[in-house]
């Protein structure tokens, strides 16, 4: 397939270029586009055939449902059975923005979009390019992250190109995604709403608006093959995600540096990568490939997937140790912890 590349100004999207990309969506094709969280791979959410094109391009299993993106609030009413008071309050507070709401779906949404579930995930992104593309297309746009299945979500057009060039209709380059981790996913079909995926809109912010929110038990756990469908609220939750090619091991606790030095000294010529928030370290001198990230959660979130992908460019690195990013965190910290755990094979506690 021929993939066209379109560079668009994120602040002032050029109408002509948006129209060109929207025409592809209208004709049943696929277009990768930037959002404020990560890049998405979009198609007409109400066209089953177009949506199948997304799954095919990504190599995504058909049991993992997609998020439907809208540009105007009224569009939600054609996608869901009803919008209750909690949903309304959250939409008012956080839309457009990085919050996805799961509600009972209407008959308009084809079952391939929701992977056969009775619910549908809906979000209104904040990115101007995304909003312009949706309105110009004249339909809601189903869009998972624009990576090959199993790879870290793309935070730049270059990442999308690496994964999907030749497999999709177009890639819009609108610069870097500034949040860097995917949207918060909240299930509102339950009596007590449940956080399925933490993101920039935090648990605390949600509870401030709608009261008690449960956290799905898989949010803080390492992804394991044994996690059954029954446990996962959405089938997609059972998959290992966001992972670079190398094995990821998270080292938590005040003595993490000691553990890492020990592992490096015992590595016997095996190349080890380290992601650290410790600026002064001697891991490089000990032979490691070191990537330093600023220690605040916003910087970590913004750069984590990019850093994973940089390690994928270093084929000799078989193990990546992640230091200085610990669990139990609030706010965006919960999202960072979740993404690390979904990428990791184990967590070592070095207290
Ligand atoms: O920030 C984002 O949300 C990005 C950008 C492109 O908007 N999109 C994204 O999509 O991350 P994706 O497909 O990579 O992740 C969608 C998540 C999956 O974990 C999926 O299982 C969950 O949302 N999901 C979708 N529909 C659902 C439903 N009906 N019930 C429960 N979970 C659902
Ligand atoms: Mg994804």
């Amino acid at each position: 397939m021929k993939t066209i590349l379109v560079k668009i100004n994120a602040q002032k999207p050029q109408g002509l270029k948006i129209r060109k990309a929207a025409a592809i969506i209208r004709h049943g094709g696929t277009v990768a586009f930037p959002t404020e969280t990560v890049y998405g791979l979009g198609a007409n959410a109400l066209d089953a055939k177009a949506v199948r094109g997304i799954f095919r391009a990504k190599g995504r299993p058909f049991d993992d449902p997609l998020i439907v993106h809208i540009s105007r609030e009224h569009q939600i009413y054609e996608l869901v059975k009803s919008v209750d008071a909690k949903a309304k309050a959250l939409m008012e507070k956080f839309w457009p923005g990085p919050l996805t709401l799961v509600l009972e779906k209407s008959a308009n949404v084809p079952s391939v979009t929701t992977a056969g579930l009775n619910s549908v995930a809906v979000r209104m992104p904040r990115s101007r390019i995304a909003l312009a593309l949706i309105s110009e297309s004249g339909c809601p746009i189903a869009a998972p992250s624009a990576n090959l299945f199993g790879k870290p979500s793309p935070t730049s057009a270059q990442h999308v190109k690496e994964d999907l060039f030749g497999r999709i209709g177009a890639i819009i380059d609108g610069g870097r995604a500034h949040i860097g981790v995917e949207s918060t996913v909240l299930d509102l079909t339950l009596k007590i709403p449940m956080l399925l995926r933490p993101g920039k809109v935090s648990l605390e912010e949600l509870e401030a608006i709608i009261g008690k929110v449960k956290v799905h038990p898989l949010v803080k756990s390492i992804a394991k093959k044994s996690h059954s469908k029954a446990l996962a609220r959405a089938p997609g939750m059972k998959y290992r995600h966001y992972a670079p090619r190398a094995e990821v091991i998270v080292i938590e606790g005040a003595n993490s540096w000691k553990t890492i030095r020990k592992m490096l000294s015992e590595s016997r010529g095996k190349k080890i990568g380290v992601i650290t928030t410790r600026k002064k370290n001697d891991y490089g001198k000990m032979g490691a490939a070191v990537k330093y990230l600023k220690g605040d959660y916003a910087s970590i979130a913004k750069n984590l997937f990019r850093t994973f992908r940089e390690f994928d460019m270093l084929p000799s690195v078989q193990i990546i140790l992640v230091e200085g990013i610990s669990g139990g965190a609030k706010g965006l910290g919960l999202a960072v912890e979740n993404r690390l755990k979904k990428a990791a094979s184990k967590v070592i506690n070095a207290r």
Side-chain angles (χ1 to χ4, degrees):
M1 190 185 295
K2 188 169 173 277
T3 303
I4 63 167
L5 299 171
V6 195
K7 210 174 173 96
I8 299 189
N9 185 314
Q11 297 315 316
K12 274 180 95 181
Q14 301 92 324
L16 200 65
K17 294 181 171 181
I18 292 287
R19 282 198 283 284
K20 193 169 164 185
I24 297 176
I25 299 273
R26 274 202 304 275
H27 289 103
T30 47
V31 175
F33 61 95
T35 82
E36 69 278 24
T37 56
V38 299
Y39 273 67
L41 176 61
N44 180 349
L46 304 181
D47 175 348
K49 204 168 152 221
V51 170
R52 261 180 237 119
I54 295 177
F55 283 93
R56 227 177 298 123
K58 283 186 54 117
R60 180 178 176 114
F62 280 95
D63 68 355
D64 193 357
L66 306 181
I67 295 174
V68 179
H69 297 67
I70 58 177
S71 59
R72 305 244 172 190
E73 226 164 82
H74 68 79
Q75 287 178 291
I76 195 173
Y77 293 92
E78 62 174 329
L79 302 171
V80 306
K81 279 217 173 115
S82 68
V83 181
D84 64 8
K86 284 181 182 170
K88 279 205 183 106
L90 292 169
M91 287 158 60
E92 193 168 311
K93 174 79 181 170
F94 297 110
W95 280 9
L99 174 65
T100 296
L101 301 176
V102 175
L103 293 160
E104 244 182 275
K105 88 174 192 71
S106 76
N108 295 331
V109 185
S111 72
V112 60
T113 304
T114 63
L117 297 177
N118 293 326
S119 57
V120 61
V122 187
R123 138 164 148 87
M124 189 194 290
R126 177 173 283 276
S127 141
R128 291 200 179 136
I129 292 177
L131 290 170
L133 180 67
I134 300 162
S135 16
E136 190 62 37
S137 299
C139 60
I141 294 185
S145 49
N147 49 284
L148 280 173
F149 175 67
K151 293 261 241 150
S153 293
T155 55
S156 73
Q158 178 56 34
H159 297 162
V160 179
K161 215 170 138 190
E162 286 161 18
D163 280 15
L164 298 176
F165 191 80
R167 302 173 71 91
I168 60 179
I171 300 173
I172 297 178
D173 182 348
R176 281 184 67 187
H178 69 264
I179 295 174
V181 291
E182 308 84 346
S183 63
T184 305
V185 179
L186 182 70
D187 188 343
L188 287 174
T189 65
L190 303 159
K191 212 165 184 178
I192 300 178
M194 185 178 275
L195 182 68
L196 301 182
R197 182 174 72 184
K200 176 75 176 17
V201 173
S202 68
L203 179 62
E204 298 79 16
E205 286 176 293
L206 294 171
E207 289 193 319
I209 306 290
I210 57 166
K212 179 76 187 148
V213 172
K214 284 189 185 158
V215 177
H216 193 284
L218 290 190
V219 161
K220 289 189 175 193
S221 78
I222 289 193
K224 292 211 178 74
K225 286 223 176 68
S226 59
H227 285 152
S228 64
K229 275 197 185 178
L231 186 55
R233 216 22 230 169
M237 292 183 89
K238 71 179 188 286
Y239 296 109
R240 183 164 173 256
H241 270 303
Y242 324 116
R245 183 190 35 72
E247 181 184 1
V248 174
I249 301 176
V250 177
I251 321 277
E252 291 183 337
N255 286 317
S256 55
W257 62 279
K258 279 190 197 160
T259 305
I260 292 178
R261 293 186 93 249
K262 185 157 177 280
M263 291 172 89
L264 291 179
S265 68
E266 289 167 358
S267 68
R268 289 197 205 87
K270 230 197 258 165
K271 191 76 182 169
I272 295 188
V274 179
I275 299 176
T276 181
T277 54
R278 201 185 293 275
K279 199 158 196 180
K280 278 195 184 154
N281 66 72
D282 55 1
Y283 306 142
K285 269 191 224 137
M286 295 185 71
V290 184
K291 309 266 181 203
Y292 162 76
L293 295 185
K294 240 174 110 217
D296 63 286
Y297 286 124
S299 306
I300 297 169
K302 183 168 180 179
N303 294 296
L304 186 66
F305 291 153
R306 177 180 59 76
T307 306
F308 280 168
R309 279 178 180 265
E310 284 171 8
F311 274 119
D312 278 350
M313 304 283 193
L314 305 173
S316 63
V317 173
Q318 296 298 319
I319 295 177
I320 300 170
L321 307 177
V322 183
E323 180 194 33
I325 306 170
S326 64
K330 291 193 175 164
L332 191 56
L334 184 62
V336 168
E337 180 190 351
N338 168 261
R339 301 313 188 274
L340 279 178
K341 289 198 169 156
K342 297 305 165 206
S345 65
K346 62 179 161 198
V347 176
I348 294 176
N349 203 321
R351 275 179 227 288

